[in-house]
Amino acid sequence: MASIKQLDERKFKITVSNGYRPDGRKISKAKTISVPDSIGKRGIRQYVVHAAEEMERTIKQGFCEDTEMTFEEYSLRWLDRQVKYAAGTIASYRRMLKVTYPFIGAIKLNKLRPIALENMLVELRKRSNHGKPVQEATVQKYLTVVSAVLSDAKRNEIIPKNPAHMIDLPDTEKRQQFIPTEEQAQQFILALLDEPEVYKTFYLLAIYTGCRRGELCALRWDDFVLDDYRSILTVSRSRSIVAGDGVQEGPTKNGRSRTIAIDEDITSFLQSYYYIKRRDEDSVGAEHSPYMFTDEHGTFIHPDTFTKHLRKIFKRNGFPDNFHLHTLRHLFVSTLLHHGVDKQTVAELAGHADTSFLERTYCHPQMELKNQAAQVMTNALLHSA
């Protein structure tokens, strides 16, 4: 029940309690109202009671966010509202925000200033990871998640501007993506010929579609629609490892579905894999699984299993230690870009919202193209006569 305290003839203070904070302190909201002069004396009590009921209903239903809320309170509600991200992404956001709470969690939204965020970054830069100083790019990831929460508060007109946007950040070291050469890619595909069908198909699709590990693990047979001898793949789910909760299925990383065209050769290969899977399931009397990447009993194969198995293939073939499962996705994106596919199409196929990430991350020529550029300069300057 809301409590009502009369301050004078037409002014009242309404207080509503709404549970307790983690430290045991009661959560309460208070608001002072003035009864309009148009309300007669007999109607004052009814007006105040109605206002108290409305306030209590609003708070109990969770729509009481305002500038008096602390950053921690608002961010926890923000996390609960997110439905478009994969479970693993939400878990990552939750972990990162928890790290920021000792620095800014208790500050009210309307009191949070850029200097508080700058002080937070100073402290985060003092942290270490496996005995090594944390990288600036990692520090700025924490600010990115904080900024997402504050942008939501600004969008809801709770704060007028996002203080995270006012911070002048140092440049971060550009992370180099290691892309296999065409010879290494051919060597890898030949090595797959001797692999069990489930691994062969998983890694082939990783190269051919650029799908993330979790997206591949969540693929179902009905995600492929035949179009004559070709097929169309719709990617709409992902299976992520969530700390404490095991493997969870949810939407893709950015919450969006996308379609990928599959040509005749790969479609034919997938059809063969389909019949092999059905044969193996029938041989042990298992039900036919709607998912692509399961064992012969229809049980999901853990995502880490594909990662660990690929490391063994890389090691057997003498590939660099910095090659990993995501390297196959890099190969997909880089190959399309370097063969003239426009950036927007590549971004859509890879599941990026726009081309900016590609331009920052992938648009660097491989060494072969750099050698070609060097030869062009040599020919122009030394052999033009």
Side-chain angles (χ1 to χ4, degrees):
M1 290 289 292
S3 65
I4 301 172
K5 181 180 180 180
Q6 186 169 1
L7 303 178
D8 62 28
E9 186 178 3
R10 288 185 173 269
K11 185 175 291 186
F12 296 80
K13 182 180 180 180
I14 303 172
T15 303
V16 176
S17 298
N18 188 29
Y20 294 85
R21 292 184 173 86
D23 59 6
R25 291 182 297 130
K26 182 181 291 187
I27 299 173
S28 61
K29 300 291 180 181
K31 180 172 70 171
T32 299
I33 66 168
S34 295
V35 180
D37 293 336
S38 59
I39 304 296
K41 289 186 178 181
R42 291 184 179 181
I44 290 178
R45 186 64 186 174
Q46 182 179 357
Y47 180 93
V48 174
V49 169
H50 177 73
E53 291 174 347
E54 284 295 313
M55 181 177 171
E56 183 175 27
R57 185 180 303 110
T58 299
I59 290 175
K60 297 297 185 183
Q61 290 177 348
F63 302 111
C64 60
E65 288 92 339
D66 57 33
T67 56
E68 293 296 312
M69 290 189 71
T70 65
F71 176 80
E72 180 176 356
E73 290 172 337
Y74 189 83
S75 67
L76 291 173
R77 296 187 182 217
W78 177 80
L79 285 166
D80 290 339
R81 291 199 303 268
Q82 303 313 303
V83 294
K84 71 175 185 177
Y85 299 115
T89 302
I90 293 297
S92 175
Y93 289 168
R94 195 178 298 276
R95 288 194 301 272
M96 296 181 77
L97 285 169
K98 190 174 181 179
V99 172
T100 71
Y101 293 154
F103 309 109
I104 61 173
I107 302 177
K108 294 180 179 180
L109 289 175
N110 62 348
K111 299 294 184 181
L112 188 56
R113 301 290 184 263
I115 192 170
L117 299 179
E118 290 174 349
N119 290 335
M120 176 190 75
L121 295 177
V122 169
E123 295 303 317
L124 291 177
R125 291 185 183 107
K126 297 177 182 178
R127 295 164 62 92
S128 61
N129 182 27
H130 300 294
K132 298 180 180 179
V134 67
Q135 295 183 350
E136 178 64 25
T138 301
V139 171
Q140 293 186 20
K141 284 182 181 178
Y142 288 99
L143 182 64
T144 298
V145 181
V146 168
S147 180
V149 176
L150 296 174
S151 290
D152 184 80
K154 180 177 180 293
R155 179 180 62 83
N156 284 296
E157 300 182 348
I158 295 173
I159 55 177
K161 51 192 174 183
N162 182 349
H165 290 168
M166 305 175 197
I167 298 177
D168 187 17
L169 294 169
D171 293 333
T172 59
E173 182 179 353
K174 188 174 181 180
R175 184 178 178 182
Q176 183 180 3
Q177 302 293 353
F178 295 94
I179 312 297
T181 64
E182 290 190 7
E183 291 77 13
Q184 287 173 323
Q186 292 295 333
Q187 182 184 351
F188 176 71
I189 291 174
L190 288 175
L192 288 182
L193 297 178
D194 297 326
E195 292 297 318
E197 294 297 326
V198 66
Y199 292 115
K200 183 192 306 182
T201 305
F202 189 94
Y203 301 135
L204 180 64
L205 275 181
I207 296 174
Y208 189 81
T209 66
C211 285
R212 302 175 178 90
R213 183 182 75 169
E215 294 169 343
L216 291 168
C217 290
L219 287 181
R220 301 176 185 173
W221 292 111
D222 59 10
D223 291 331
F224 294 85
V225 177
L226 287 175
D227 181 17
D228 201 2
Y229 294 103
R230 303 185 177 193
S231 54
I232 302 296
L233 167 63
T234 299
V235 182
S236 59
R237 296 175 307 280
S238 180
R239 292 181 64 79
S240 307
I241 302 172
V242 180
D245 293 322
V247 180
Q248 303 288 321
E249 184 170 308
T252 60
K253 185 176 181 179
N254 63 3
R256 300 178 181 179
S257 298
R258 65 186 188 278
T259 57
I260 301 173
I262 310 292
D263 76 355
E264 296 180 19
D265 291 337
I266 304 300
T267 297
S268 177
F269 175 83
L270 293 174
Q271 288 176 321
S272 298
Y273 173 65
Y274 172 83
Y275 291 117
I276 291 172
K277 289 291 294 178
R278 291 297 183 247
R279 181 199 64 195
D280 291 345
E281 290 166 342
D282 290 340
S283 68
V284 296
E287 293 186 7
H288 291 175
S289 173
Y291 289 90
M292 289 185 67
F293 297 110
T294 58
D295 62 18
E296 66 274 16
H297 298 284
T299 302
F300 280 112
I301 299 175
H302 196 283
D304 283 347
T305 301
F306 292 105
T307 300
K308 294 175 182 177
H309 189 84
L310 184 61
R311 289 199 191 105
K312 296 178 182 178
I313 298 177
F314 283 157
K315 187 174 183 179
R316 284 199 303 266
N317 287 272
F319 291 152
D321 292 338
N322 47 30
F323 278 16
H324 42 73
L325 181 52
H326 215 64
T327 300
L328 304 184
R329 177 171 163 85
H330 298 329
L331 176 60
F332 166 81
V333 172
S334 182
T335 299
L336 294 183
L337 290 173
H338 290 308
H339 284 80
V341 179
D342 67 277
K343 295 176 185 177
Q344 185 59 48
T345 298
V346 176
E348 291 176 4
L349 289 171
H352 293 301
D354 52 46
T355 63
S356 59
F357 184 80
L358 297 182
E359 292 163 354
R360 293 194 308 270
T361 309
Y362 291 104
C363 291
H364 54 85
Q366 296 183 44
M367 188 55 66
E368 179 61 30
L369 295 180
K370 292 180 180 180
N371 291 334
Q372 292 177 16
Q375 189 62 51
V376 167
M377 290 302 299
T378 300
N379 292 339
L381 297 176
L382 303 180
H383 305 301
S384 58

